[in-house]
Amino acid sequence: MSVFIIAEAGVNHNGSVELAKKLIDVAVESGVDAVKFQTFKAEKLVSKDAKKAEYQQKNIDNNDDSQYNMLKKLELDLDTHKELITYCNSKNIMFLSTPFDSDSIKLLDSLGLTIFKIPSGEITNLPYLREIGSLDKKVILSTGMADIGEIEDALDILLKAGTKKENITILHANTMYPTPMEDVNLKAMVTIGKTFNVTYGYSDHTLGVEVPTASVAMGASVIEKHFTLDKTMEGPDHKASLEPDELKEMVKAIRNIEKAMGNGIKKPSKSETPNIEIARKSIVANCSIKKGELLTEDNLTIKRPANGISPMRWDEVVGSVAGKDYTEDELI
């Protein structure tokens, strides 16, 4: 099974269908498996007086600190969803979107989505989890800001609602944009997998591509990463997103690591087998030796190539008698 890579466009389309399509084009070109947006109605998601997070405040250059006004501009309506899904289908890439409320869950279900992505912020939202769980679809659950007990509770709700465990992937995540390296705690991803015996992965908000690549070496089967057309664009998430070339670099690195992981059996590989003879050694005469002479540690030595007797048989050869004459460097 190859790693399922989700390029998270999120709200980096800034409310423009044209930008959204350009983001889809970038995702296709980079070789990811799916491109993900966000489905919400601002009035269902936040109360009118909810303030922006500090990172959102920093990344948007205006004095309006309302989350509602920011999000209202970033909504995608039903027709836009249909248009983007059609566009993704024509480009042979999977369309995904994260719903943030009950209406959005129903909307995405009606549009035929087969995978439902639960964002970190909804992990303590029982009615939401129950509604997604009851759809019996594939579920990807992000766990930023959560501890192991909260993950257990969310998993129980999904399972009781009717989702099969083998259809759930739990992503380790850190909800800070960007995530400082010392807060990544990648080993916690493996803890999640072992604790719940589930498929696991990683949703990354660090600035580089090293951490998602490393997570693949640690067994991640799903990787999610924010991307944008340009980090300097106005909007809450652009700064902590990859630009197109970086996204390509990440996909290439992940695919290389996947190949490099191999099957775990230690034996000579196809490419190195011809070098065994060149790099290993044989037992050879250290000087000229006459037939009938005793072979000793003084008149024998070990040199390349490995087309004679292996030096592993040194103790057998030392103390035996030469069956013929040898010149210096001749194979015994």
Side-chain angles (χ1 to χ4, degrees), residues 301-315:
T301 191
I302 294 166
K303 290 186 180 181
R304 288 177 174 179
N307 55 354
I309 296 173
S310 164
M312 288 303 271
R313 296 177 63 192
W314 178 256
D315 291 347

Side-chain angles (χ1 to χ4, degrees), residues 217-248:
M218 291 170 73
S221 60
V222 173
I223 294 294
E224 177 179 82
K225 182 81 172 173
H226 279 267
F227 77 112
T228 178
L229 299 176
D230 180 354
K231 282 181 194 187
T232 62
M233 286 168 84
E234 174 91 7
D237 295 342
H238 293 287
K239 275 196 182 64
S241 302
L242 295 181
E243 288 187 339
D245 287 352
E246 295 172 305
L247 184 65
K248 268 190 196 153

Side-chain angles (χ1 to χ4, degrees), residues 266-286:
K266 179 57 185 166
K267 60 174 195 179
S269 72
K270 196 172 146 198
S271 63
E272 71 185 342
T273 301
N275 294 329
I276 292 175
E277 196 173 298
I278 298 156
R280 288 186 176 178
K281 294 173 177 171
S282 305
I283 300 174
V284 299
N286 195 24

Side-chain angles (χ1 to χ4, degrees), residues 18 34 80 127 130 166 192 196 238 240 276 312 320 324 326:
E18 285 322 299
T80 307
R130 189 177 280 154
E166 59 269 26
I192 290 167
F196 303 112
H238 293 287
I276 292 175
M312 288 303 271
S320 65
K324 54 166 271 199
Y326 290 102

